[in-house]
Amino acid sequence: MHYKWGQESFKKADLIVILRPNQVFCDLRVITRFIKTRLGFEQANYKQSFKNLYVMIFEWNRGYNREAIHRIIELTNNFSDRRVILKHNKELETIIEERIIRMNE
């Protein structure tokens, strides 16, 4: 998400990974984290409130899918040969293994 300051990093990166997960999955992760911290099972760096929950789901998550993701893709178009767009971070292991194999050929 922190793409605005990353242009120099994009230039230097061997691999640019953009996660584009399912919206429902993201919302469920936020809700699960909220419940766990409210019940004291996990620590949070800030006070968990229902207002924060609303902001995380309807402003941050929705904003990422509505606006930020398109800007990130646009900013990385010059580096599309090093860019991968994944739905789940578990796909990353396969991508890295394939790149290592290609480098060693």
Coordinates of all heavy atoms in Angstrom, one line a residue, residues 47-77:
K47 N -5.9 1.6 20.0 CA -7.1 1.2 20.6 C -8.1 0.7 19.5 O -8.4 1.4 18.6 CB -7.7 2.4 21.4 CG -9.1 2.1 21.9 CD -9.1 1.5 23.3 CE -10.5 1.6 23.9 NZ -11.1 0.3 24.0
Q48 N -8.5 -0.5 19.7 CA -9.5 -1.1 18.7 C -10.9 -0.5 19.0 O -11.4 -0.7 20.1 CB -9.5 -2.6 18.8 CG -8.3 -3.2 18.2 CD -8.3 -3.3 16.7 OE1 -9.2 -2.8 16.1 NE2 -7.3 -3.9 16.1
S49 N -11.5 0.1 18.1 CA -12.9 0.7 18.3 C -13.7 0.3 17.1 O -13.1 -0.1 16.0 CB -12.8 2.2 18.5 OG -12.4 2.8 17.3
F50 N -15.0 0.4 17.2 CA -15.8 0.1 16.0 C -15.7 1.2 14.9 O -15.8 0.9 13.8 CB -17.3 0.0 16.5 CG -17.6 -1.2 17.2 CD1 -17.7 -1.2 18.6 CD2 -17.7 -2.4 16.6 CE1 -17.9 -2.4 19.3 CE2 -17.9 -3.6 17.3 CZ -18.0 -3.6 18.7
K51 N -15.3 2.4 15.3 CA -15.0 3.4 14.3 C -13.7 3.0 13.5 O -13.7 3.1 12.3 CB -14.7 4.7 15.0 CG -14.4 5.8 14.0 CD -14.2 7.2 14.7 CE -13.8 8.2 13.6 NZ -13.5 9.5 14.2
N52 N -12.7 2.5 14.2 CA -11.5 2.0 13.5 C -11.9 0.8 12.6 O -11.3 0.7 11.5 CB -10.4 1.5 14.5 CG -9.8 2.6 15.2 OD1 -10.0 3.8 14.9 ND2 -8.9 2.3 16.2
L53 N -12.7 -0.1 13.1 CA -13.1 -1.2 12.2 C -13.8 -0.7 11.0 O -13.5 -1.2 9.8 CB -14.1 -2.1 13.0 CG -14.7 -3.3 12.2 CD1 -13.6 -4.3 11.9 CD2 -15.7 -4.0 13.1
Y54 N -14.7 0.3 11.1 CA -15.3 0.9 9.9 C -14.3 1.5 9.0 O -14.4 1.2 7.8 CB -16.3 1.9 10.4 CG -17.0 2.6 9.2 CD1 -18.2 2.1 8.7 CD2 -16.5 3.8 8.7 CE1 -18.8 2.7 7.6 CE2 -17.1 4.4 7.6 CZ -18.2 3.9 7.0 OH -18.8 4.5 6.0
V55 N -13.4 2.2 9.5 CA -12.3 2.8 8.7 C -11.5 1.8 7.9 O -11.3 1.9 6.7 CB -11.4 3.8 9.5 CG1 -10.2 4.2 8.7 CG2 -12.2 5.0 10.0
M56 N -11.1 0.7 8.7 CA -10.3 -0.3 8.0 C -11.0 -1.0 6.9 O -10.4 -1.3 5.9 CB -9.8 -1.3 9.1 CG -8.7 -0.7 10.0 SD -8.1 -1.9 11.2 CE -9.4 -2.0 12.4
I57 N -12.3 -1.3 7.1 CA -13.0 -2.0 6.1 C -13.5 -1.1 4.9 O -13.2 -1.4 3.8 CB -14.2 -2.7 6.7 CG1 -13.8 -3.9 7.6 CG2 -15.2 -3.3 5.6 CD1 -14.9 -4.6 8.3
F58 N -14.1 0.0 5.3 CA -14.8 0.8 4.2 C -13.9 1.9 3.6 O -14.2 2.4 2.6 CB -16.1 1.3 4.8 CG -17.1 0.3 5.1 CD1 -17.4 -0.2 6.3 CD2 -17.8 -0.4 4.0 CE1 -18.3 -1.2 6.6 CE2 -18.7 -1.4 4.3 CZ -18.9 -1.8 5.6
E59 N -12.9 2.3 4.3 CA -12.0 3.3 3.7 C -10.7 2.7 3.2 O -10.4 2.8 2.1 CB -11.7 4.4 4.8 CG -13.0 5.2 5.1 CD -12.7 6.3 6.1 OE1 -11.6 6.8 6.2 OE2 -13.7 6.8 6.7
W60 N -10.0 1.9 4.1 CA -8.7 1.4 3.7 C -8.9 0.3 2.7 O -8.3 0.3 1.6 CB -7.9 0.9 4.9 CG -7.5 2.0 5.8 CD1 -7.6 3.3 5.7 CD2 -6.9 1.8 7.1 NE1 -7.2 4.0 6.7 CE2 -6.7 3.1 7.6 CE3 -6.5 0.7 7.8 CZ2 -6.1 3.3 8.9 CZ3 -5.9 0.9 9.0 CH2 -5.7 2.2 9.6
N61 N -9.6 -0.8 3.0 CA -9.8 -1.9 2.1 C -10.4 -1.5 0.8 O -10.0 -1.9 -0.3 CB -10.6 -3.1 2.8 CG -9.7 -3.9 3.7 OD1 -8.5 -3.7 3.9 ND2 -10.3 -4.9 4.4
R62 N -11.5 -0.8 0.9 CA -12.3 -0.5 -0.3 C -11.4 0.5 -1.1 O -11.4 0.5 -2.3 CB -13.6 0.2 0.0 CG -14.6 -0.7 0.7 CD -15.0 -1.9 -0.1 NE -16.1 -2.7 0.4 CZ -16.0 -3.6 1.4 NH1 -14.9 -3.8 2.0 NH2 -17.1 -4.2 1.8
G63 N -10.7 1.5 -0.4 CA -9.9 2.4 -1.1 C -8.8 1.8 -1.9 O -8.4 2.2 -3.0
Y64 N -8.2 0.7 -1.3 CA -7.1 0.0 -2.0 C -7.7 -0.6 -3.3 O -7.0 -0.4 -4.4 CB -6.6 -1.1 -1.1 CG -5.5 -2.0 -1.7 CD1 -4.2 -1.5 -1.8 CD2 -5.8 -3.2 -2.2 CE1 -3.2 -2.2 -2.4 CE2 -4.8 -4.0 -2.8 CZ -3.5 -3.5 -2.9 OH -2.5 -4.2 -3.5
N65 N -8.8 -1.3 -3.3 CA -9.4 -1.9 -4.5 C -9.9 -0.9 -5.5 O -9.9 -1.1 -6.7 CB -10.4 -2.9 -4.1 CG -9.8 -4.2 -3.6 OD1 -8.7 -4.6 -4.0 ND2 -10.4 -4.8 -2.6
R66 N -10.5 0.2 -5.0 CA -11.1 1.2 -5.8 C -10.1 2.1 -6.5 O -10.2 2.5 -7.6 CB -12.1 2.0 -5.0 CG -13.0 2.9 -5.7 CD -14.0 3.6 -4.8 NE -13.4 4.2 -3.6 CZ -13.7 3.7 -2.4 NH1 -14.6 2.8 -2.2 NH2 -13.1 4.3 -1.3
E67 N -9.0 2.5 -5.8 CA -8.1 3.5 -6.3 C -6.7 3.1 -6.3 O -6.0 3.2 -7.3 CB -8.3 4.8 -5.4 CG -9.7 5.4 -5.5 CD -9.9 6.5 -4.5 OE1 -8.9 7.0 -3.9 OE2 -11.0 6.9 -4.2
A68 N -6.2 2.7 -5.1 CA -4.7 2.5 -5.0 C -4.2 1.4 -5.9 O -3.1 1.6 -6.5 CB -4.4 2.1 -3.5
I69 N -4.9 0.3 -6.0 CA -4.3 -0.8 -6.9 C -4.1 -0.3 -8.3 O -3.1 -0.7 -8.9 CB -5.3 -2.0 -6.8 CG1 -4.6 -3.2 -7.4 CG2 -6.6 -1.8 -7.5 CD1 -3.4 -3.8 -6.7
H70 N -5.0 0.5 -8.8 CA -4.9 1.0 -10.2 C -3.6 1.9 -10.3 O -2.9 1.9 -11.3 CB -6.1 1.7 -10.7 CG -7.3 0.8 -10.6 ND1 -7.5 -0.3 -11.4 CD2 -8.4 0.8 -9.7 CE1 -8.6 -0.9 -11.0 NE2 -9.2 -0.2 -10.0
R71 N -3.4 2.7 -9.3 CA -2.3 3.6 -9.3 C -1.0 2.8 -9.2 O 0.0 3.1 -9.8 CB -2.4 4.6 -8.1 CG -1.3 5.6 -8.0 CD -1.4 6.7 -9.1 NE -0.3 7.6 -8.9 CZ 0.5 7.9 -9.9 NH1 0.5 7.4 -11.1 NH2 1.5 8.8 -9.6
I72 N -1.0 1.8 -8.3 CA 0.2 1.0 -8.2 C 0.6 0.3 -9.5 O 1.7 0.3 -9.9 CB 0.0 -0.1 -7.0 CG1 -0.2 0.6 -5.7 CG2 1.1 -1.1 -7.0 CD1 -0.7 -0.3 -4.6
I73 N -0.4 -0.3 -10.1 CA -0.2 -0.9 -11.4 C 0.4 0.1 -12.4 O 1.3 -0.2 -13.2 CB -1.4 -1.6 -11.9 CG1 -1.7 -2.8 -11.0 CG2 -1.3 -2.1 -13.4 CD1 -3.1 -3.5 -11.2
E74 N -0.2 1.2 -12.5 CA 0.3 2.3 -13.4 C 1.7 2.7 -13.1 O 2.5 2.8 -14.0 CB -0.7 3.5 -13.2 CG -0.3 4.7 -14.1 CD -1.2 5.9 -13.9 OE1 -2.4 5.7 -13.8 OE2 -0.6 7.0 -13.7
L75 N 2.0 2.9 -11.8 CA 3.4 3.2 -11.4 C 4.4 2.2 -11.7 O 5.6 2.5 -11.9 CB 3.4 3.5 -9.9 CG 2.8 4.9 -9.5 CD1 2.8 5.0 -7.9 CD2 3.7 6.0 -10.0
T76 N 4.0 0.9 -11.8 CA 4.9 -0.2 -12.0 C 4.9 -0.7 -13.5 O 5.5 -1.6 -13.8 CB 4.7 -1.4 -11.1 OG1 3.3 -1.8 -11.3 CG2 4.9 -1.0 -9.6
N77 N 4.1 0.0 -14.4 CA 4.1 -0.4 -15.8 C 5.4 -0.5 -16.4 O 5.7 -1.4 -17.3 CB 3.1 0.5 -16.6 CG 1.7 0.0 -16.5 OD1 1.4 -1.1 -16.1 ND2 0.8 0.9 -16.7

